[in-house]
Amino acid sequence: MISTRRILAAACLAAGVTALAAPSAGAAETDAKAGSSLSPIALLDALATSDIPESHRGALPRPSQQLAQLNRVPSDLDQLHQITDLAAPVTGLLPGLQT
């Protein structure tokens, strides 16, 4: 597994690269390609999978996939809240809360 230190180092490196690239990106010519932008998430994905053999890279989730799943948490919590709001009066679990 990837250690916490490696992930933290990769995130700091991505933030540093982004901070260094931001001033030069503002000074770049206007005819530069739009698809050549620097993505810290893509860099983090590349760093996270650099030590893993090619045959095993598909078995582990990339940091971008994990972040995408993390972005789904609020909607999942909203769905759970809707279910508990319907079930709480019936089961008497939350008698002190009024909605």
Side-chain angles (χ1 to χ4, degrees):
M1 288 308 251
I2 298 173
S3 70
T4 306
R5 289 185 197 168
R6 275 190 168 175
I7 293 173
L8 181 62
C12 290
L13 179 66
V17 167
T18 304
L20 291 175
S24 62
E29 295 180 16
T30 57
D31 61 337
K33 292 182 180 178
S36 65
S37 63
L38 184 63
S39 171
I41 299 298
L43 180 62
L44 187 61
D45 279 344
L47 287 173
T49 59
S50 63
D51 289 344
I52 301 172
E54 187 70 36
S55 60
H56 298 290
R57 285 186 186 171
L60 296 174
R62 293 178 178 249
S64 60
Q65 293 170 339
Q66 293 175 355
L67 287 173
Q69 292 296 324
L70 190 60
N71 286 336
R72 289 185 48 208
V73 169
S75 66
D76 291 345
L77 286 177
D78 286 340
Q79 290 176 357
L80 180 64
H81 187 55
Q82 290 173 356
I83 292 171
T84 57
D85 284 349
L86 293 173
V90 174
T91 59
L93 292 176
L94 305 172
L97 297 177
Q98 299 292 326
T99 57

